[in-house]
Amino acid sequence: MPGIHRRTLANGLKLLVAPVPGASRVAVAAHYRVGFRVEPPGMEGFAHLFEHLMFVGSQSLPDGGFFDHVRDTAGVASGRTHQDYTEFYQVVPRSALDQALFSEADRMRAPSFTQEALTEQLAGVAAEIREMIVERPYGGMPWPHMAGLLYTSFANAHDGYGDPEQLKKATLEDCEEFFARYYTPGNAVVTVAGDVDPGDVADRVERYFGDIPGREAAPQPDLSEPGFFMDQTASFTEPGIPATAITIGQWLPDPAADLPGYLAHVVLARMMARQITPDGTSAVSTSCGFFGPLDAHAPDALLLTVLVPPATPAVQMVGAVRTQWGMWSKDDISGEVAAAVNELVSEHHRDHDDIEARCRALGRLETLFGRAELLDELPERLGEVTPAQVGKAAARLHGAACAVMTIEPGRRRTRPKPGHTERPEREAGQAVRIPEPAGGPRTVPGREDQPRPVLGEHVEATFGNGLRAVAIRAGGAPVVELRLRLPAGPVGWRRPDHLELLAHVLGRRARVGLHARGAGGELTVRTDGQWLDVAGYAATDGLDACLGVLSEVLTPAAAAEPLSQGRALLRGRMPARIADDALRAYLLGPAPSEAAGLADVHRTVIVPEGGSFVAVGDADPAWMLSRLEDALEWWQGQAQPVPATAAGGGILLVPREDLSNVLVTFSAPEPPDGPDDVARYLATGLLGRYHRNRSIRDAPGTTGLGASGYEAFLGRDVLIDFPRAYIQVMRPKEQVPDVFTEVLDRLPELTAKPPEPVELDRAREYCVMEMLWGLDSPAKIADLVRIGVSFGQGAGLLTRLYDRLGQITADEVVEAAVSTYGRMPLPSMVVGDIEADWLADEIERRSGERSGPRAIACVTSEGQVSATIQ
């Protein structure tokens, strides 16, 4: 990547600009040197609460106005609170750079805190704590509960989420004081990454941030720790978990003082993670740091977590880990170190070839260590780590005390009780207030012209075995993204459990193969019920090795797993997946004969005909295609013919007692001779894909779907062998009958109404901007092209959409909307805790003569009818 450009404003704000040539979007991050370690006793969790408040409003962007430009341009905006910093970041089209900078500057200058907003965010934080800590299996392991075992000082040991009840004591004075003490220009780093000119960005930042008054930030807390010389242990219980989880924590060296020693521990942790079980999964989950490597000042910890059978003593696990440390401190570990380094380097390159990840990492490293350049130096520094350094790190850990946290199955849930520390009373006149902003509200800048997106050099070919391949030059890292997509075919569509088991077994084979070669990279095998997807990446110089593993995955091999094991793998599917699995199986009808074993499923699903392969990397596209063809020329096989599907109509109900809400899906095949694909894409955006669309405007007098106030999501994909348009609605049981009458009866009106010029322009702009996410990184380019190829398009889909969207007329949009969403002839899918008799009676009662009763068939997740209600 090109170099990093720095500038410091007169008020102390530090600016980093990282040019990323060719990027269609720009990332903006603001890092503040304030994390949850600065919280005083009695205010645990306040830094995280304050991060939420920073999104609520500011002088020029009140009442959630911060997100207006983000939503209108299909952008991303979020924030995170860690030990020693809080980050806010946005990714928006280049045309919205001024709006992103303006919004960050406005809340740095003049945030707006109200009691209503504070109460609302307190509820939001409480919900997040409940979801992440209380309701999540093994919640709180290892963070935040492990910190109390590793450290003794309040700054390091306290719970950064805090207790929701204690947080309710927070006041508006607390908010103003916290902002005034820590959210100063001199305590912040603003980073901009994109295809930008550093001098131009510096001028813009000066324009928006330059007049924010500088002021001194509060000092950072003392993080020194005395250390501990005996193992610290804590054990908790939780009902419903299948295994005991044990986390071991040990201190890491200070990266600011001993970076080589720190990186040796990073390599050591990866070596431990590479210890895999016979089923191909990692025996140990590892992490350097609670939130990842180089994410905090010292002290931070190396954490190892393992799942073991219930009643396994934690001391046994600790002994096994120490034994491993001891062996590695004495043995020749050159091979293990080289394999771990290869993985870490290729992973680092791949992760930070994404514009958002690069921007955030640069800002974080500058904030913590004053050296953003470390991001680009790390691959070389990791490559310099020697086996002797790793052995020394293992010896250090072998002899050091550790913290051990255990969560085991039990009758009730136990966790550490909140400390309920008391905050000292603030004396009169001690409160620190936000400086009064000068000049009043400011005008939000407009957007500039968006440069036309350009896809890099690319080539396409169809191999002799029928596999369609696309290769694209993109990115700046020595990594190649790989995407193989295969239609599941009648065998997979009829039996989603068999397909899931096949993906599981092949994924295990891929992990074992890559592990054995140690060349770096990753391959995963997953299915969404429609496709079998092999996705991952390889170091450019390890591409042939990765393709060798892929060949092993594609080669039929005996498997010990009986097909019945696939049923267990389907547990936990999302409702939309359940609905689509059942609909595919129902439309195809029962299989002519049951597969004899997993090898039979493999032979019918894993065939090149009808499949596609996408490769994206900083390499010659013709060379990438030649490597693919050479590796896969042996692969042969024809796709099974797709039988005629059953007639549509009626309602299919998949009862699920474990779902609190009910999902309703309406579907329609897209007519092959209707409007072109771009017009349908724009019609979908207009009707239901962005925040101003018709389908969620439910106020009286509008044409939105659902007077009951629910939201409908509209989309397009491929179902079996035809493009499909669909509408999804998730609502409580009592509103489900209204979904049928309101949605189906209002579709003709909704689709046939011509869009107003402003409405059409907004939808057009949103669709143009939405596509740009696919150019943020080689990984996203590969994903975007894979989607396009699934629809029968080529690599040039992005630029064709961009050019054609500006030409679509209102009449074409109406034609596309009517032909795509005007009627939903396929069976309607209902998934949830709802009775067929009640649903039939309620639909008949509420629909009256307008629509008449609809037949309801109860089906299994494989589409088999178990009962029918007329």
Side-chain angles (χ1 to χ4, degrees), residues 12 15 18-19 108 143 374 386 460 491 533 580 668 808 850:
L15 168 66
M108 184 185 289
W143 187 81
L374 187 58
T386 66
E460 303 183 39
V491 169
D533 284 311
D580 286 350
I808 301 293
R850 289 182 303 159

Side-chain angles (χ1 to χ4, degrees), residues 450-736:
Q450 176 66 31
R452 182 177 185 269
V454 178
L455 193 65
E457 177 189 357
H458 57 277
V459 294
E460 303 183 39
T462 300
F463 298 156
N465 57 10
L467 182 69
R468 185 180 178 188
V470 181
I472 304 167
R473 185 192 293 274
V479 171
V480 178
E481 294 290 333
L482 304 170
R483 303 289 187 273
L484 172 63
R485 166 162 280 189
L486 304 173
V491 169
W493 294 326
R494 284 188 171 111
R495 290 305 303 261
D497 54 338
H498 294 176
L499 186 63
E500 200 73 43
L501 178 61
L502 177 65
H504 173 75
V505 171
L506 297 185
R508 179 177 66 201
R509 194 181 300 173
R511 288 190 296 272
V512 172
L514 286 175
H515 175 271
R517 284 168 172 79
E522 177 185 62
L523 284 178
T524 63
V525 185
R526 294 189 175 92
T527 178
D528 61 357
Q530 175 67 28
W531 310 98
L532 187 87
D533 284 311
V534 183
Y537 65 95
T540 305
D541 58 7
L543 179 59
D544 287 341
C546 186
L547 292 176
V549 174
L550 178 61
S551 292
E552 296 172 3
V553 170
L554 300 177
T555 302
E561 290 83 357
L563 290 175
S564 58
Q565 287 190 6
R567 298 285 302 172
L569 295 172
L570 290 179
R571 293 172 186 165
R573 284 177 298 170
M574 299 297 288
R577 168 77 189 276
I578 295 171
D580 286 350
D581 282 350
L583 180 58
R584 276 186 291 263
Y586 174 81
L587 292 176
L588 288 170
S593 61
E594 190 75 9
L598 192 61
D600 293 327
V601 180
H602 188 291
R603 279 189 290 269
T604 53
V605 174
I606 307 298
V607 296
E609 186 180 53
S612 60
F613 205 126
V614 178
V616 182
D618 187 17
D620 175 38
W623 175 81
M624 288 190 282
L625 274 193
S626 71
R627 304 318 305 144
L628 297 179
E629 188 168 21
D630 289 347
L632 302 178
E633 62 180 352
W634 63 268
W635 187 25
Q636 301 293 324
Q638 292 184 328
Q640 285 192 325
V642 179
T645 55
I651 299 171
L652 302 182
L653 169 62
V654 184
R656 286 295 296 259
E657 296 181 356
D658 56 330
L659 300 177
S660 56
N661 283 327
V662 178
L663 176 74
V664 181
T665 304
F666 305 100
S667 302
E670 293 188 356
D673 55 351
D676 71 18
D677 194 62
V678 183
R680 287 172 174 161
Y681 177 44
L682 181 53
T684 302
L686 180 76
L687 294 173
R689 278 191 63 82
Y690 79 117
H691 74 114
R692 298 182 191 271
N693 69 72
R694 293 182 183 181
S695 298
I696 65 172
R697 297 204 312 268
D698 292 328
T702 69
T703 58
L705 293 175
S708 303
Y710 51 75
E711 294 186 1
F713 177 82
L714 281 71
R716 299 167 60 239
D717 60 10
V718 175
L719 186 80
I720 306 180
D721 62 343
F722 56 84
R724 172 185 69 154
Y726 64 86
I727 301 174
Q728 289 180 343
V729 182
M730 177 80 82
R731 291 312 296 160
K733 168 185 172 180
E734 59 273 11
Q735 293 185 14
V736 171

Side-chain angles (χ1 to χ4, degrees), residues 21 70 87 98 110-111 116 137 180 281 283 311 528 607 609 621-622 640 726 844 849 854:
V70 178
E87 67 171 348
D98 274 355
E116 180 183 8
T281 58
D528 61 357
V607 296
E609 186 180 53
Q640 285 192 325
Y726 64 86
E844 181 176 3
E849 297 180 357
R854 296 175 174 89

